[in-house]
Amino acid sequence: MDRAAEALTPGTPSRYPYFTSLSLAISGPYKPNNNPSGRIMSVVWKIRVRQWGLEKNPLIPEPTTSHPLQGVKDRTLKQAGLVYEKKSRPTVQPMMIDPLSSVLDGPDPLSDLLGASDPLSGKAFPSASRQAMEADKDTEMAITDSRHSTWEQHRAFILSNFTTTGTLTFTSSFLQPSDSAESRAVPLHRRVVKTQTAVTERHRTPGMSGSERIRARLEQLDTLDEMSGGGVVREVGGLTQEEFTHRLNGLKQELTEAWQSDQRVKALKIAIQCVKLLSLSVPEHFYPSKFVLVIDILDTLASLVYQRLKFKSQSENFPVGGSDTGKLEAQETTRNWFYKVASIRELLPRLYLEAALLPCYSLINVQEGEQALSRLSRMIRGIGDPLMAAYARMYVCRMGFVIAPTLTQHISESIEDFLHALKQGLWPEGEADMNMGEDKDSLAARVFFPPLEWMMQCLASCAPHHILQSILRQCEEGEGLGQNLLVSSLLATFPHHFIALQALPLTHLIAGCSYPGKLQHELLSSLGVCVNQAAPPQQQQLPLLNAVWKLIARVPNTKDYLSTAGIWLEFTAKHFTSVEVNTLLGDVLKHVGTDRSHDQTHYPAMLALVSTALTNSTDPHSLFSMKHFLGLLNVFQRDSVSAGDGVTRGVVEALLTHHPGDFTDPILVQHLLTLCGALHDSINALTTDDERRQLSQLIISFIRQVNFGRDFEQQLDFYVNARAAFSNLDTVLVSLVQCVCRLAMATWNVMHSQHSGKTASFVRACAAYCFITVPSLAYSTTRLKLYLLSGTVALINNCLGQVEGNDSLYGGDPKVQQEAEQLCTTLLHNILLHIQSLTGIHEKRCGPLAFSLFWCIVTWCDLTQPQMMKVTSQIWSLVLKHCHPETVVQARDWISRHSVHQKHTSLAQLVRHGQA
């Protein structure tokens, strides 16, 4: 062992003694009471006299060719064994970088999981069983076109849009006495109770043969629409929509319970009486919802019947013949069900029930089912009420698509019959007066559109091109409400490529659709949505745009005009240059200018126009030089722009994404400052942290893209305005302080570190900006870091101010120095005691702590004191033992250089100790 080390740590067996083998008693103001040893070592901190002239080591700037962080991701990926290909840097920088996406290489793992199959469901249902389950969904529509709605979506739309506040009447022989009690609140003059005599169920008589039992059932079906278990048909009036729906749901539950208790006839009776509710079309605006509720009951019965018949056809519990016998019996039972339905006297329930049971024909003969489908579609011609006939055609087409999705003849005939019925009177005068103030023409367009749309959707899903052309010819030959609805449903259901090819003729049709119904701007909007998805031939695009815009310009309502113009602006931006886009925006400004009193209500629509033009334009950069585009931005004022609908955020994102390079135009910067200010003002107590973070990153991206070049004063003015606009977002304020510090350093660089009077005042203004802004931040750590940053920038720019250093303020007062030394001594003792307590598994933790303490001592403490030198040597021994060898080598080199440079003998002694 080296003698110097032995002198420092006498009696220690190891070369580099562990510090906890010593026990310290502290002299001075701090006296611990947990000293287990009697040995005393006095350690007192004395401030080292600094020789700044010798210590000054000016930095020599060196030019670099690469960013210091460049290649970090490359090295990380190489270490992980991954292949990383550098992508060329885009011309336009992204407006916002997601900190989480930067650590991922490849697709999002959650997206991969979303696309993968469910392992649990795959194990629970083998592939054969899964196919069988999917094949069993015979009552559910399966329309492949993405723009077409399923029956569930269509059902939900009808229930939510066709409601009533009037009173309804419910008639059934299955109403319980309690049902009448529940309606006691209904006035007596609005209740009607009819009593009919019940017929006994003769088919349950013992000793009857099979044929006699069947004959008895058929006789019973002759009157089953007039019977109930108690022989009483109750008609309850004055029901609200909720009460009416509740009673229908109750019958649906009773139907299921009757079926499960083997009362098939009763279940059929309930279904028949529910369908009879559709024979009353008033109130017309509630009939679609009543239709959907009744269809739910029919679907329930049809599903129960089909599942029972299918089970019988697949059953193997027969002694002779196996499953063939089961199929024969199932076919016989199936025909029996159709015989039961055929014996129903009234047309409407007979038609609906046979349509509901159409999938059962697959157990007998598929061709018979197709023939029955054609027969049912013609039977509807016997329904006199156009509204009831329309929804009956809708249901037959729905069931027809289930059993024969490739057949289109019955759908085409149903559409022709529908249009023919509309040419007649829809309902007598005065019968459409319970429509909540809605005029009769608007009501007719609203209630007749869902069935026509569904039939057209079924046709468009499977019909060849020539069938679609025939429908278009019907549109051209039609008139009145039928033509209006046919054109509207064609635009909503037919394939986009077909509509794109016929866009110009359809425009002329829309121009001639004058009958009240779907408004002209609604039809133009539907056409615009289609051509935005599939482009018309190039030679038709300009004539189409001219023809459409003539119609749009005549739309009287400003809100309707803007919504339609926005859709066709997308078409213009995709297929024309920015000149045409600018022309259309000029017409928008001219149109809105006539409605200045309400321009603030149109801000969301006009903001959507800006976003549409930027997002879809083939050359978005050129828009920023267009007069009308900038004029549209000039409309908005901060105190009126609302960011609650998300449109403002979309516009800001589009502007930041598509603008080339930095923002240098003061007018454009002011527009963006207005929009970003609206985003800031939309933040409230209910805003989530994630949304606040996203908005902050969006605003920061905008701030960093503003660059006025050498006009530093204008740049600082912008930062001042931004601080006032975004005062509630600490992240944005932090970015502003950093930008101002960068601006001060840019000034220092331009002046080559020699400020003039003007630039000196400017950098002092930058320092004042930081001094004012930093205290408003919430987190103390952030404030401390920014104080250090701004103080460093101020010091580099010689912004010393008046707030001088302690050496000048106190003039080396010995009392101040003594108090500082006492505080440092107390801190040193606490740290030494903590290091002394690190034993056992915590021993390794003393390495970094000892290294940090060592640097503080050799930098600021006077090492000429023998006791302090001993403690420093012991701490250096801990560094040698517990720190990484490279760290030790670097520290030793630094100590060696400074001991020579500053002629510091104590440091030289530590170097010799470290080399021992």
Side-chain angles (χ1 to χ4, degrees):
M1 179 181 293
D2 185 53
R3 291 185 177 180
E6 290 179 355
L8 290 172
T9 56
T12 54
S14 61
R15 183 177 181 182
Y16 301 120
Y18 185 52
F19 192 81
T20 55
S21 62
L22 299 178
S23 57
L24 300 177
I26 311 300
S27 64
Y30 180 81
K31 296 186 179 296
N33 55 6
N34 57 350
N35 180 23
S37 174
R39 290 177 291 179
I40 298 177
M41 178 181 294
S42 298
V43 182
V44 179
W45 184 286
K46 292 293 183 181
I47 297 177
R48 170 188 167 194
V49 179
R50 306 298 295 270
Q51 299 180 3
W52 298 108
L54 293 176
E55 294 183 20
K56 185 177 181 180
N57 187 15
L59 298 176
I60 302 176
E62 297 180 359
T64 60
T65 58
S66 62
H67 194 276
L69 299 181
Q70 184 178 1
V72 172
K73 187 173 182 180
D74 298 343
R75 293 193 297 270
T76 305
L77 294 176
K78 287 179 180 179
Q79 292 173 0
L82 301 175
V83 178
Y84 173 73
E85 295 181 358
K86 288 188 177 179
K87 297 182 180 179
S88 58
R89 187 176 181 182
T91 304
V92 181
Q93 295 294 327
M95 61 180 174
M96 188 165 51
I97 300 176
D98 186 1
L100 299 180
S101 62
S102 60
V103 301
L104 297 175
D105 184 69
D108 180 9
L110 296 180
S111 301
D112 292 342
L113 292 176
L114 185 62
S117 60
D118 184 5
L120 298 179
S121 60
K123 293 180 180 179
F125 301 103
S127 58
S129 301
R130 184 184 297 275
Q131 293 175 1
M133 290 176 61
E134 293 176 354
D136 287 344
K137 296 180 180 178
D138 295 324
T139 59
E140 181 64 29
M141 291 297 295
I143 298 178
T144 56
D145 197 317
S146 59
R147 69 188 302 219
H148 292 167
S149 60
T150 63
W151 175 252
E152 288 301 322
Q153 294 170 332
H154 213 65
R155 174 184 181 276
F157 171 81
I158 291 177
L159 289 177
S160 61
N161 286 273
F162 295 94
T163 58
T164 182
T165 56
T167 57
L168 303 169
T169 301
F170 193 92
T171 304
S172 175
S173 62
F174 293 94
L175 292 176
Q176 301 299 325
S178 60
D179 292 330
S180 298
E182 290 176 0
S183 58
R184 288 175 182 171
V186 180
L188 291 176
H189 68 277
R190 298 170 72 180
R191 300 187 205 162
V192 181
V193 179
K194 299 178 180 178
T195 304
Q196 296 178 351
T197 305
V199 179
T200 59
E201 297 183 350
R202 295 197 305 110
H203 67 280
R204 295 186 179 273
T205 305
M208 295 181 66
S209 63
S211 59
E212 291 175 342
R213 186 176 291 109
I214 292 176
R215 190 179 301 108
R217 285 182 176 178
L218 294 178
E219 292 176 357
Q220 183 187 16
L221 287 173
D222 272 342
T223 55
L224 61 79
D225 55 341
E226 301 174 355
M227 297 186 337
S228 70
V232 177
V233 175
R234 294 183 176 88
E235 180 179 291
V236 182
L239 300 177
T240 64
Q241 177 181 337
E242 183 179 359
E243 293 170 342
F244 185 88
T245 305
H246 175 71
R247 293 175 186 274
L248 270 179
N249 292 333
L251 286 183
K252 180 179 178 181
Q253 181 65 26
E254 189 169 353
L255 183 149
T256 305
E257 294 174 355
W259 185 272
Q260 292 173 351
S261 61
D262 204 24
Q263 301 182 53
R264 318 290 186 203
V265 175
K266 180 179 179 181
L268 186 59
K269 289 180 185 179
I270 295 175
I272 292 174
Q273 292 192 2
C274 289
V275 174
K276 279 187 161 186
L277 295 174
L278 297 178
S279 60
L280 183 64
S281 61
V282 291
E284 288 82 1
H285 54 271
F286 180 67
Y287 189 84
S289 293
K290 182 166 63 172
F291 164 80
V292 167
L293 296 172
V294 171
I295 290 306
D296 287 345
I297 298 177
L298 276 182
D299 289 345
T300 301
L301 176 65
S303 177
L304 293 172
V305 173
Y306 180 78
Q307 293 299 329
R308 178 173 180 267
L309 296 176
K310 187 174 182 180
F311 174 78
K312 293 187 68 172
S313 67
Q314 296 176 348
S315 177
E316 298 180 357
N317 298 325
F318 296 96
V320 180
S323 59
D324 292 338
T325 305
K327 289 182 179 179
L328 292 176
E329 182 171 338
Q331 291 177 357
E332 185 66 25
T333 308
T334 303
R335 293 188 183 277
N336 186 27
W337 271 101
F338 283 113
Y339 294 152
K340 290 180 182 179
V341 173
S343 65
I344 301 174
R345 292 179 302 175
E346 295 188 20
L347 172 63
L348 201 64
R350 182 170 73 250
L351 187 148
Y352 269 98
L353 279 164
E354 186 174 0
L357 296 178
L358 279 176
C360 297
Y361 275 109
S362 62
L363 303 175
I364 305 175
N365 190 323
V366 176
Q367 293 181 352
E368 288 189 32
E370 295 176 355
Q371 295 172 1
L373 176 62
S374 178
R375 174 171 49 81
L376 288 174
S377 64
R378 292 183 174 92
M379 284 173 57
I380 301 177
R381 297 171 182 172
I383 301 177
D385 191 301
L387 184 61
M388 291 189 290
Y391 280 87
R393 291 187 176 97
M394 178 183 182
Y395 185 65
V396 170
C397 288
R398 175 190 174 223
M399 301 309 299
F401 196 87
V402 172
I403 66 168
T406 59
L407 295 182
T408 59
Q409 181 64 27
H410 69 284
I411 304 178
S412 300
E413 292 179 356
S414 297
I415 294 175
E416 292 179 6
D417 293 342
F418 176 86
L419 297 175
H420 181 73
L422 289 184
K423 294 180 181 179
Q424 306 172 5
L426 299 181
W427 41 66
E429 292 293 333
E431 287 195 7
D433 54 357
M434 294 179 58
N435 49 27
M436 300 177 293
E438 191 174 12
D439 65 272
K440 188 168 62 176
D441 294 331
S442 299
L443 176 62
R446 200 162 66 88
V447 298
F448 280 103
F449 184 71
L452 179 60
E453 182 186 29
W454 183 262
M455 290 187 287
M456 293 281 283
Q457 175 175 290
C458 295
L459 186 67
S461 301
C462 55
H465 185 78
H466 69 277
I467 298 294
L468 303 184
Q469 286 284 5
S470 67
I471 298 297
L472 182 60
R473 287 193 295 271
Q474 291 186 38
C475 292
E476 296 171 350
E477 298 169 359
E479 59 183 12
L481 177 62
Q483 183 189 39
N484 187 294
L485 294 181
L486 193 61
V487 172
S488 178
S489 59
L490 184 149
L491 294 173
T493 58
F494 275 30
H496 291 140
H497 61 84
F498 177 84
I499 296 176
L501 291 174
Q502 308 295 333
L504 201 54
L506 284 171
T507 304
H508 299 319
L509 274 177
I510 294 173
C513 285
S514 58
Y515 187 87
K518 291 289 184 179
L519 299 177
Q520 192 176 77
H521 73 88
E522 296 177 330
L523 299 176
L524 290 174
S525 298
S526 300
L527 178 62
V529 171
C530 294
V531 298
N532 285 334
Q533 298 297 323
Q538 188 173 4
Q539 64 273 15
Q540 296 182 13
Q541 291 177 2
L542 185 57
L544 174 64
L545 181 61
N546 290 330
V548 167
W549 203 262
K550 289 179 182 179
L551 299 177
I552 296 176
R554 295 200 296 264
V555 175
N557 185 274
T558 305
K559 181 179 178 181
D560 297 336
Y561 167 83
L562 289 175
S563 63
T564 311
I567 295 175
W568 283 94
L569 180 64
E570 179 181 347
F571 172 77
T572 307
K574 285 181 177 179
H575 304 290
F576 297 91
T577 65
S578 299
V579 177
E580 287 79 7
V581 174
N582 188 59
T583 303
L584 263 62
L585 292 179
D587 186 72
V588 170
L589 287 174
K590 180 180 178 181
H591 202 95
V592 175
T594 61
D595 194 18
R596 278 290 181 182
S597 59
H598 304 289
D599 58 351
Q600 295 180 7
T601 61
H602 306 315
Y603 276 178
M606 290 189 288
L607 284 171
L609 292 177
V610 175
S611 180
T612 300
L614 285 172
T615 306
N616 298 281
S617 178
T618 55
D619 185 17
H621 299 170
S622 60
L623 287 175
F624 292 95
S625 61
M626 297 293 177
K627 174 183 177 182
H628 297 310
F629 180 79
L630 296 177
L632 187 61
L633 289 178
N634 197 36
V635 172
F636 308 108
Q637 301 296 328
R638 180 181 177 183
D639 55 351
S640 303
V641 178
S642 172
D645 53 3
V647 178
T648 306
R649 178 175 176 178
V651 172
V652 174
E653 291 176 346
L655 287 170
L656 296 181
T657 302
H658 297 285
H659 187 273
D662 296 330
F663 292 100
T664 57
D665 185 1
I667 298 178
L668 184 58
V669 169
Q670 185 59 39
H671 293 330
L672 270 169
L673 187 63
T674 298
L675 298 176
C676 289
L679 292 178
H680 169 271
D681 295 343
S682 67
I683 297 176
N684 52 39
L686 300 179
T687 305
T688 62
D689 293 339
D690 184 64
E691 185 177 359
R692 184 185 295 267
R693 178 187 60 81
Q694 293 179 13
L695 292 178
S696 299
Q697 291 297 327
L698 186 63
I699 295 173
I700 290 172
S701 179
F702 156 62
I703 290 173
R704 291 178 177 174
Q705 281 187 249
V706 175
N707 186 3
F708 294 119
R710 289 293 186 92
D711 194 347
F712 291 165
E713 292 185 357
Q714 188 176 11
Q715 189 83 21
L716 183 60
D717 289 340
F718 165 74
Y719 292 146
V720 171
N721 294 332
R723 179 179 61 187
F726 313 122
S727 57
N728 293 330
L729 294 174
D730 278 10
T731 310
V732 178
L733 295 180
V734 170
S735 181
L736 285 172
V737 172
Q738 294 171 345
C739 289
V740 170
C741 291
R742 189 181 302 114
L743 184 64
M745 291 306 299
T747 308
W748 180 84
N749 187 41
V750 169
M751 298 303 296
H752 302 289
S753 71
Q754 300 295 327
H755 285 295
S756 63
K758 185 176 181 179
T759 58
S761 300
F762 178 78
V763 294
R764 282 196 293 270
C766 292
Y769 181 100
C770 299
F771 178 78
I772 295 172
T773 308
V774 173
S776 63
L777 301 177
Y779 295 101
S780 57
T781 305
T782 305
R783 293 200 303 269
L784 181 60
K785 292 180 179 179
L786 289 180
Y787 271 134
L788 181 61
L789 173 64
S790 56
T792 303
V793 172
L795 184 61
I796 293 174
N797 286 274
N798 295 321
C799 298
L800 302 179
Q802 69 274 20
V803 208
E804 297 179 359
N806 287 344
D807 53 349
S808 300
L809 286 175
Y810 297 103
D813 191 341
K815 292 183 179 180
V816 176
Q817 181 174 346
Q818 181 181 2
E819 184 176 356
E821 289 175 346
Q822 289 177 357
L823 290 175
C824 292
T825 300
T826 302
L827 290 174
L828 176 63
H829 292 166
N830 291 335
I831 296 173
L832 292 176
L833 287 175
H834 180 69
I835 293 177
Q836 186 178 5
S837 65
L838 295 176
T839 59
I841 61 175
H842 302 292
E843 179 180 346
K844 293 182 179 179
R845 293 174 52 192
C846 70
L849 182 59
F851 187 71
S852 300
L853 179 61
F854 175 77
W855 280 120
C856 291
I857 292 175
V858 300
T859 304
W860 304 104
C861 188
D862 185 7
L863 295 181
T864 58
Q865 306 174 84
Q867 297 296 336
M868 181 57 73
M869 187 60 188
K870 290 181 180 180
V871 173
T872 307
S873 300
Q874 294 168 6
I875 296 174
W876 177 239
S877 299
L878 291 177
V879 173
L880 296 175
K881 181 177 180 181
H882 294 287
C883 291
H884 195 274
E886 293 183 3
T887 303
V888 174
V889 171
Q890 293 175 1
R892 186 187 296 116
D893 292 342
W894 184 89
I895 295 172
S896 178
R897 290 196 306 270
H898 282 70
S899 64
V900 175
H901 180 67
Q902 301 178 17
K903 301 178 181 180
H904 201 309
T905 57
S906 300
L907 292 179
Q909 184 179 357
L910 287 176
V911 172
R912 291 194 298 272
H913 176 60
Q915 294 175 348

